[in-house]
Amino acid sequence: MKIRAPHTEPLVQPIYQSATFVLDERSYRDIAENHGIGEVWYSRLRNPTVDAAGDVVASLEGAEDALITGSGMGAISSLVLGLCKAGDRIVASRELYGDTHDLFTRWLPGLGMEVELVPVDDLERWERALSTPAKLVYGETLSNPQLRLLDIPAVAAFAKAAGATFAVDNTFASPALVRPLEHGADVVVASATKFLNGHSDVVAGAVAGSKSVVDQCRLVVMAFGSCLDPHAAFLLLRGLKTFGIRLDRQMQNAAALAGILETSPDVERVIYPGLASYAQADLAARLLAHKHGAMISFVVAGGDERAGAFMRAAESATEATSLGGVETLISAPYNSSHFMLSPDERAAIGIEPGMLRLSVGTEDIDVLAADFAAALAATSA
């Protein structure tokens, strides 16, 4: 059956909902010379809709190339498996998303890799850990959920001295705040589910960097199958079109709400890079270019029970995992993103009783502020 196509170009990237494509001489040459990852002939390897989303992410991050995967963890695991093997040494920040922490502390040592974790904001520890050679250095721009900022230029220098590839998870910050590649990172990963998509309806990941690194990750996706469906890539492309507009509104709301929360007697501590009280305010001023993101972490007086009651009383914020969507989402790390850690492990990385993680959406800020005030008052002792 002949495929019909319009004689002019479509305004919107088509969904190439095809598992396979016609093989031709170029395809066969690519299979013979490049493991088949350079041409479109089977959608587990490449798909035009998925590649189009990768092009947008590469542009946002200032990267030579980008690969879109089936999830953020798919991106992270493809990167690690593409670059590291048994016997290799990895140095990573201690403050990591729960499943990333599980990957680095349980799965990678089981595959014969040595992993050393260091506090994200302790440069002396980074320098000491990287005084000996390493294969991979890994950290999050803003840690999940403590919002501790990684000094990317400083760690990049240590990684280079150690002969390591430096990878940064930019999920929480997003390229709206900082582009790690411009500050010395070699490769960026992200959960595209979050700010890149922005509508809480797609699970996807991204790896952005040099073509050589991205191609190594493509080979892992080829073998392990963490590819993205083209319809999901189409939705991601749709979300990416409003990335800047969404983030501007979300960051305005977050800055206002962080200031309001900090004045509440029912809140023990607010962590937000735009506040004067932020522990790394100087670094934030240098690295984030006066944009501070849409994530807030705060500690409700009264511990986890009171924090849970507050979440359920807040009508304008949905109690749910994930983040980065146009709707405001709130969660307690101890029973969502970091449930697999013990209480002692959570305490060691700064997840306190009563801590909540807030992803601020695009709603009316007056509605959000009034609702949060009412919810805190309704749960006050």
Side-chain angles (χ1 to χ4, degrees):
M1 181 179 69
K2 184 176 176 60
I3 303 298
R4 296 182 63 86
H7 69 279
T8 59
E9 292 185 12
L11 178 64
V12 176
Q13 172 69 40
I15 305 173
Y16 284 86
Q17 196 70 49
S18 180
T20 192
F21 298 81
V22 175
L23 288 164
D24 59 13
E25 288 306 312
R26 201 161 79 172
S27 306
Y28 288 126
R29 187 165 58 251
D30 180 56
I31 292 168
E33 298 176 358
N34 196 35
H35 304 285
I37 62 171
E39 298 292 335
V40 174
W41 55 278
Y42 189 58
S43 281
R44 176 163 52 83
L45 281 66
R46 297 193 80 125
N47 175 281
T49 314
V50 180
D51 282 356
D55 290 343
V56 177
V57 172
S59 177
L60 285 172
E61 289 288 1
E64 181 183 11
D65 197 8
L67 164 67
I68 306 299
T69 62
S71 69
M73 289 306 302
I76 295 167
S77 58
S78 295
L79 173 72
V80 175
L81 295 177
L83 298 182
C84 302
K85 62 183 185 302
D88 283 340
R89 180 168 178 265
I90 299 170
V91 178
S93 59
R94 182 184 61 179
E95 294 81 358
L96 295 169
Y97 166 57
D99 285 333
T100 309
H101 185 277
D102 196 43
L103 173 68
F104 278 72
T105 60
R106 180 158 66 107
W107 294 102
L108 297 185
L111 296 175
M113 301 176 198
E114 177 190 348
V115 179
E116 180 178 352
L117 300 181
V118 300
V120 64
D121 52 358
D122 189 336
L123 289 181
E124 289 185 4
R125 289 282 298 277
W126 278 110
E127 185 174 23
R128 188 159 65 247
L130 292 170
S131 62
T132 54
K135 185 69 174 181
L136 178 67
V137 174
Y138 186 94
E140 297 174 355
T141 308
L142 282 167
S143 68
N144 178 358
Q146 311 90 341
L147 300 183
R148 292 178 185 166
L149 188 56
L150 178 68
D151 191 334
I152 298 173
V155 176
F158 300 147
K160 184 177 181 179
T165 298
F166 180 27
V168 176
D169 182 339
N170 204 30
T171 299
F172 260 41
S174 87
L177 272 68
V178 62
R179 302 208 295 187
L181 299 177
E182 295 178 350
H183 296 276
D186 298 301
V187 59
V188 173
V189 294
S191 172
T193 308
K194 313 303 194 295
F195 289 109
L196 293 175
N197 176 58
H199 290 82
S200 302
D201 55 7
V202 168
V203 173
V207 182
S210 68
K211 186 178 185 302
S212 61
V213 169
V214 172
D215 278 351
Q216 284 297 109
C217 298
R218 289 189 192 279
L219 291 172
V220 177
V221 171
M222 178 180 180
F224 286 79
S226 57
C227 53
L228 186 68
D229 178 82
H231 187 264
F234 173 81
L235 293 176
L236 174 58
L237 276 164
R238 178 213 57 191
L240 284 165
K241 290 180 179 180
T242 60
F243 173 75
I245 298 170
R246 288 186 284 105
L247 265 292
D248 282 348
R249 176 62 177 264
Q250 288 173 274
M251 288 189 287
Q252 290 172 12
N253 282 354
L257 195 55
I260 292 168
L261 288 170
E262 194 171 43
T263 65
S264 171
D266 296 303
V267 175
E268 292 181 352
R269 191 157 68 95
V270 179
I271 309 168
Y272 181 68
L275 293 175
S277 59
Y278 182 62
Q280 297 170 286
D282 290 343
L283 178 59
R286 286 189 282 113
L287 195 61
L288 302 183
H290 308 294
K291 293 184 177 181
H292 303 114
M295 299 301 300
I296 303 171
S297 290
F298 63 103
V299 179
V300 177
D304 289 331
E305 185 175 352
R306 167 93 187 281
F310 164 78
M311 282 194 294
R312 293 169 187 94
E315 297 180 357
S316 60
T318 301
E319 186 179 352
T321 191
S322 198
L323 56 106
V326 294
E327 60 283 304
T328 295
L329 299 180
I330 191 167
S331 61
Y334 85 92
N335 64 6
S336 57
S337 62
H338 291 72
F339 73 91
M340 71 288 293
L341 274 64
S342 70
D344 287 344
E345 288 173 323
R346 287 194 293 270
I349 61 173
I351 299 177
E352 310 167 39
M355 176 177 278
L356 296 177
R357 190 188 77 181
L358 181 65
S359 173
V360 183
T362 60
E363 301 92 342
D364 187 310
I365 184 57
D366 292 334
V367 173
L368 286 172
D371 180 49
F372 272 49
L376 285 169
T379 58
S380 181

